[in-house]
Amino acid sequence: MSAVRIFVPCDAAAVSVGADEVAASITAEAKRRGLAVEIIRNGSRGMLWLEPLVEVATAKGPVAYGPVRAADISTLFDANFLGGDSHPLSLGLTEEISFLKNQQRLTFTRIGVTDPLSLDDYRAHGGFAGLDKARTLKPVEIVEDIVASGLRGRGGAGFPAGIKWRTVASAQGSQKFIVCNADEGDSGTFADRMVMEGDPFMLIEGMAIAGLAVGATRGFIYIRSEYPHAIRSMQRAIAIARRARVLDDSFDLDVRIGAGAYICGEETSLLESIEGKRGQVRAKPPLPAHRGLFGKPTVINNVLTLAAAPWIIANGGKAYAEYGMGRSRGTMPLQLAGNVKYPGLYETAFGMSLRELIFDIGGGTASGRPVRAVQVGGPLGAYFPESLLDTKLDYEAMLAAGGMLGHGGIVVFDDSVDMMKQARFAMHFCAIESCGKCTPCRIGSTRGVETLDKIAADIEREKNVALVRDLCTVMTDGSLCALGGLTPLPVLSALDHFPEDFAPRLRAAAE
């Protein structure tokens, strides 16, 4: 009798709630009962409230159980979960779970399905189809396919990826680089981590395609030190790819580990860090596409941007552009977090509304209380009130509503949130994470914290509210990079949409 295949995620989110212990318990219990099982440590399916999610391969497809604890294993065996039979933790066929079934997964199609470090598994599920095709194309044809796809940077700025690749391809340089920005530091975001832990070969393939397109022979993946599982996964995948000659002298990769400074998510600070310098913003121009890493032409893209390239090249840019709306083409892995009943990753075409995502997909708040505010785009994103929840999740619609989509992180707050404290947090975050190079960011954020504290203490409230707004204008107009330039978004949106939280009467009552 062949061994039954059981999938237990190796994803850091699952490991944090006991996935390693669950895998060990399944192995021990199967041995005790004399049953043959094969444990496969897959990536997470993205349904984080169900982790650890255990799946059993059956003739009908994977059957899911979750959230599973080590103490549940003996009862699962008693219920014949190896045959996919019913148990209180049974969720039925994994692919039929509504949260997963209704997604449009292009980038995340393999994650949770395969063994992340099996090249055979990767190839069997469409892996390297894009790279194989790219090797038959001229560099300009690869670039123009990315342009035709409408792919925009998924790291936050939303700049057209094809235009960046075209610029680097046409730049002159004895050496060119591909740099992956995996310094995922936004609150409520985890898509980059899930890719690196759940499908690392996809990122390697995307970077190799970019290398072919622009004539680069070296690549670097910059990962923050707080992602030890992702670091190990990428290092192991790169070693496997080298042994299989997927990576060689024509294009090779290395991982570089950052110390966790938020500012190093800004592309020029990241380059400084890779070069062994202090992570500080560079003045532009020159742009990294002309003078980037070590002064050479450099493509810098986010994990999700590079990870989209294999599907685009394999299936064609026009096929990718059929998803989405307006100038926002393709799909976006949205990350739903905070006070929400069903947190997780939901990949879908651009165009879903915030309300649909939070209530139809996320199930509303975990507390059961009304939604009061939603922050979109990380700690520098605007706070949206309930009246703006019908805003579509695409770049232009979010901008028109006074916000930004950013990296797709969405954090939900119920009606117990104090928006005065959230505004102060934004200024404090900027103050402690500033690289210190420019005065508007370094000093403006510090003065912002002090002034918001005065408002909280009801000291010359009107004068200090006006001062906060003036500081925000200076930071927006004068900062060298987006850290200082975008910090006003959460502060001003809190002031504009939730003025009652800054009123003396309510501040006094709260105390």
Side-chain angles (χ1 to χ4, degrees):
M1 180 179 177
S2 60
V4 177
R5 304 181 82 204
I6 303 175
F7 296 81
V8 183
C10 62
D11 182 273
V15 170
S16 72
V17 289
D20 287 349
E21 292 79 4
V22 167
S25 294
I26 292 173
T27 300
E29 188 68 19
K31 183 177 181 180
R32 189 179 71 82
R33 297 182 184 224
L35 300 172
V37 298
E38 178 188 0
I39 305 293
I40 296 156
R41 303 304 301 272
N42 58 327
S44 172
R45 294 278 195 163
M47 298 178 285
L48 299 184
W49 76 97
L50 295 175
E51 295 292 5
L53 181 73
V54 174
E55 299 178 67
V56 179
T58 73
K60 295 181 179 180
V63 174
Y65 300 83
V68 176
R69 302 291 177 260
D72 300 319
I73 300 307
S74 61
T75 65
L76 283 167
F77 273 92
D78 291 341
N80 189 36
F81 90 117
L82 295 186
D85 290 356
S86 182
H87 181 275
L89 296 177
S90 176
L91 301 165
L93 290 171
T94 309
E95 301 294 342
E96 293 300 314
I97 298 173
S98 60
F99 187 94
L100 192 60
K101 183 179 181 180
N102 297 321
Q103 295 188 40
Q104 294 170 298
R105 288 200 163 192
L106 304 184
T107 302
F108 279 72
T109 186
R110 276 180 300 271
I111 298 180
V113 177
T114 61
D115 177 345
L117 294 174
S118 168
L119 271 179
D120 290 339
D121 234 1
Y122 185 67
R123 288 190 183 279
H125 290 81
F128 295 124
L131 181 57
D132 290 343
K133 182 179 177 182
R135 285 171 171 157
T136 70
L137 301 174
K138 297 176 181 177
V140 68
E141 292 175 319
I142 302 172
V143 170
E144 293 312 312
D145 224 8
I146 297 296
V147 172
S149 74
L151 177 66
R152 293 167 68 174
R154 300 292 191 250
F159 187 81
I163 302 302
K164 185 179 289 188
W165 289 23
R166 184 190 286 163
T167 303
V168 176
S170 61
Q172 298 300 310
S174 57
Q175 170 76 60
K176 296 181 182 180
F177 295 102
I178 307 296
V179 174
C180 175
N181 184 347
D183 191 63
E184 187 174 52
D186 285 353
S187 51
T189 62
F190 40 85
D192 290 355
R193 178 186 58 74
M194 286 182 63
V195 167
M196 291 186 286
E197 294 174 7
D199 201 1
F201 294 122
M202 175 173 58
L203 179 55
I204 292 172
E205 182 180 2
M207 294 183 72
I209 289 170
L212 286 172
V214 306
T217 58
R218 287 294 307 280
F220 294 94
I221 305 172
Y222 186 90
I223 311 175
R224 56 179 38 236
S225 59
E226 292 94 334
Y227 276 3
H229 298 83
I231 291 167
R232 285 196 297 270
S233 177
M234 288 310 311
Q235 288 173 334
R236 293 175 65 188
I238 288 170
I240 292 168
R242 282 174 180 155
R243 289 196 295 270
R245 305 300 295 169
V246 173
L247 296 173
D248 54 29
D249 291 341
S250 64
F251 186 79
D252 200 5
L253 284 174
D254 283 298
V255 170
R256 289 292 182 266
I257 302 171
Y262 185 78
I263 192 63
C264 287
E266 192 279 332
E267 60 182 12
T268 62
S269 296
L270 183 154
L271 294 178
E272 291 285 285
S273 181
I274 292 178
E275 291 178 9
K277 304 170 186 174
R278 180 180 178 184
Q280 284 194 313
V281 176
R282 296 178 183 175
K284 302 176 189 175
L287 297 171
H290 295 123
R291 290 185 59 191
L293 187 62
F294 302 114
K296 303 299 183 182
T298 303
V299 168
I300 308 179
N301 280 137
N302 168 261
V303 170
L304 298 180
T305 312
L306 291 161
W311 194 97
I312 292 170
I313 300 303
N315 296 277
K318 290 182 180 179
Y320 190 79
E322 289 176 0
Y323 295 87
M325 61 180 286
R327 291 177 53 218
S328 301
R329 311 313 306 177
T331 61
M332 183 70 185
L334 300 165
Q335 299 126 87
L336 192 54
N339 192 336
V340 64
K341 190 173 182 181
Y342 303 128
L345 183 137
Y346 195 90
E347 183 179 357
T348 188
F350 289 97
M352 176 179 283
S353 73
L354 270 171
R355 191 180 304 278
E356 289 175 291
L357 181 67
I358 293 165
F359 292 100
D360 297 348
I361 307 303
T365 63
S367 63
R369 299 173 66 96
V371 171
R372 186 173 187 224
V374 180
Q375 188 173 32
V376 184
L380 307 182
Y383 289 101
F384 284 70
E386 196 279 336
S387 60
L388 289 178
L389 294 188
D390 290 317
T391 303
K392 299 294 185 183
L393 287 161
D394 83 272
Y395 294 107
E396 279 65 45
M398 295 299 294
L399 185 63
M404 63 177 187
L405 183 56
H407 187 46
I410 296 163
V411 181
V412 179
F413 299 85
D414 71 11
D415 61 354
S416 66
V417 67
D418 184 336
M419 296 308 296
M420 169 71 188
K421 290 182 178 178
Q422 294 304 121
R424 185 190 188 280
F425 169 77
M427 283 292 191
H428 178 66
F429 179 84
C430 181
I432 61 175
E433 294 291 348
S434 174
C435 75
K437 188 167 185 175
C438 70
T439 302
C441 176
R442 182 183 73 250
I443 302 301
S445 55
T446 301
R447 295 290 87 83
V449 172
E450 294 170 355
T451 309
L452 285 165
D453 284 343
K454 290 178 181 178
I455 296 172
D458 199 21
I459 299 171
E460 298 182 298
R461 177 186 172 277
E462 291 185 9
K463 176 182 176 181
N464 283 309
V465 166
L467 179 55
V468 167
R469 291 185 180 276
D470 284 347
L471 283 168
C472 286
T473 299
V474 172
M475 292 175 70
T476 299
D477 295 344
S479 296
L480 272 176
C481 81
L483 176 56
L486 291 179
T487 292
L489 265 183
V491 176
L492 292 175
S493 62
L495 275 167
D496 292 341
H497 297 307
F498 309 95
E500 62 275 16
D501 282 21
F502 299 81
R505 180 177 60 82
L506 287 186
R507 300 307 309 167
E511 292 169 0

